Amino acid sequence: MTATSAAPRLGLRANAAQFLLLVVVNALVGGVLGTERTVLPLLGAREFHLTAYTAALTYILAFGATKAVTNFFAGTLADRYGRRPVLLAGWLVAIPVPLLLIWAPSWGWVVAANVLLGLNQGLAWSTTVIMKIDVAGPHRRGLAMGLNEAAGYLAVAGTALATGALAARYGLRPAPFLLGAAYVAVGLGLSALLVRETRGHAHHEAATHRGGAHHGGLTTRRVLALVSWREPALSSASQAGLVNNLNDGLAWGLFPVLFAAAGLSLPRIGLLAALYPAVWGLGQLVTGPLADRVGRKPLIVVGMLTQAGALGLIAGAHGFGGWAAGAVLLGAGTAMVYPALLAAVGDVAHPAWRARAVGVYRLWRDGGFAVGALSAGLLADLVGIRGATWAVAGLTAASGLLVALRMYETHVRPAPAG
């Protein structure tokens, strides 16, 4: 067999079976995260009697900080040892998470479970992103990221809705977290038995890469600098990703408490908690391929400004209808931003250091959970949940304007044949 015939083939059609398997695996990763969206904020208030918002959000702070750092190392490890071993490690560390949440006698156990959850999400979700970028090739990257993130966040939404119903019928523990244990078991089994290594696809693309502003032989320190502040498109994506997930941390940790204080039932709180990631997930089926047609930058700018408007609507609303409209709008704005940001990083980064670039981007993006938990908790203790939401809305608008001013368009469409 010749080297040419043995070379991996790039593209979604050529790798359809493996790509769809990775979509399913990422849905299971998202499902594990979704087990907490409705139940854990209420668990802190009702069973552990946490009254300070800052204390109640320590689990999101632990999750976000751990996931952010793990994202960075996931990219480096995936380049060094391969994608599949990192994915398997992510599933292995998830095994104790539902058990700790079921049996937690104190809030410290919940925080410890979320450290492990951060490791799981950082290793497993990051690796599925990298693997899809590997096999998709350069021209359908937006579609690939849209499908990846849609699967993950639709699973978050469906699980948030399901756990709300389970909690209403069977209590806050253990039923909702048994669903998470099932996700872990299935995800680990599929990853161990069926997922194949994709690092060879990245090596093949690197061998045929036409080059760009940055060559392939960069150190990790140089990649960190480029993605964090030096390279305009990469650093713009990083700051927008951080603010985006700051919003998600606010929605995850404080909105269920706001809704419960207004007297909404558990099923209605679960529905509101599910609406935002559901629209986010479904919307990416449209915005992912749209980013391949209109470019990355327009979707990022409009998406951040849409999120700002949605947060203002939620802060000003006083009933289910207004909150539902705000959740839908917030999901739509996030759907515009999420696949376009990942695709932009994939556009600019050389295949030889792309996994590390994705890891650094996700370090900043998921650091938004930690920043959001800390800042939103402090603000909510000072000025209430509504005041904190207004402040974050202003920050989100500023982030979108910064992208408009600093980021250049990263997507270069292929020239027509002939």
Side-chain angles (χ1 to χ4, degrees), residues 245-258:
N245 276 23
L246 188 155
N247 297 345
D248 192 26
L250 174 73
W252 177 6
L254 291 183
F255 287 175
V257 179
L258 174 65

Side-chain angles (χ1 to χ4, degrees), residues 36 40 43-44 47-48 59 96-114 172-174 177:
E36 294 194 353
L40 221 52
L43 194 67
E47 291 198 16
F48 295 105
Y59 75 97
V97 172
L99 305 177
L100 287 170
L101 295 173
I102 288 170
W103 291 324
S106 68
W107 193 244
W109 282 50
V110 174
V111 174
N114 275 268
L172 294 175
R173 295 193 287 182
F177 302 115

Side-chain angles (χ1 to χ4, degrees), residues 38 45 88 167 173 224 315 325 351 372 411:
T38 301
L88 291 173
R173 295 193 287 182
L224 176 63
H411 182 52

Side-chain angles (χ1 to χ4, degrees), residues 4 42 44 112 164 213 244-245 253 258 290 295 343 370-371 385 391-392:
T4 302
L42 304 178
N244 182 93
N245 276 23
L258 174 65
L290 186 62
V371 174
I385 295 177
V392 174

Side-chain angles (χ1 to χ4, degrees), residues 16 22 24 29 38 75 77-78 81 85 130 155 203 205-206 210 248 252 281 289 292 309 318 322 328 402:
L22 289 168
V24 172
V29 178
T38 301
L77 292 170
Y81 300 110
I130 293 165
H203 290 168
E205 186 181 349
R210 295 181 181 177
D248 192 26
W252 177 6
D292 290 331
H318 291 275
V328 169
L402 182 59

Side-chain angles (χ1 to χ4, degrees), residues 141 205 209 214 234 344-355 357-358:
R141 201 165 278 144
E205 186 181 349
H209 192 67
H214 306 288
L234 293 175
V345 175
D347 293 339
V348 177
H350 190 283
W353 47 271
R354 183 189 295 141
V358 170

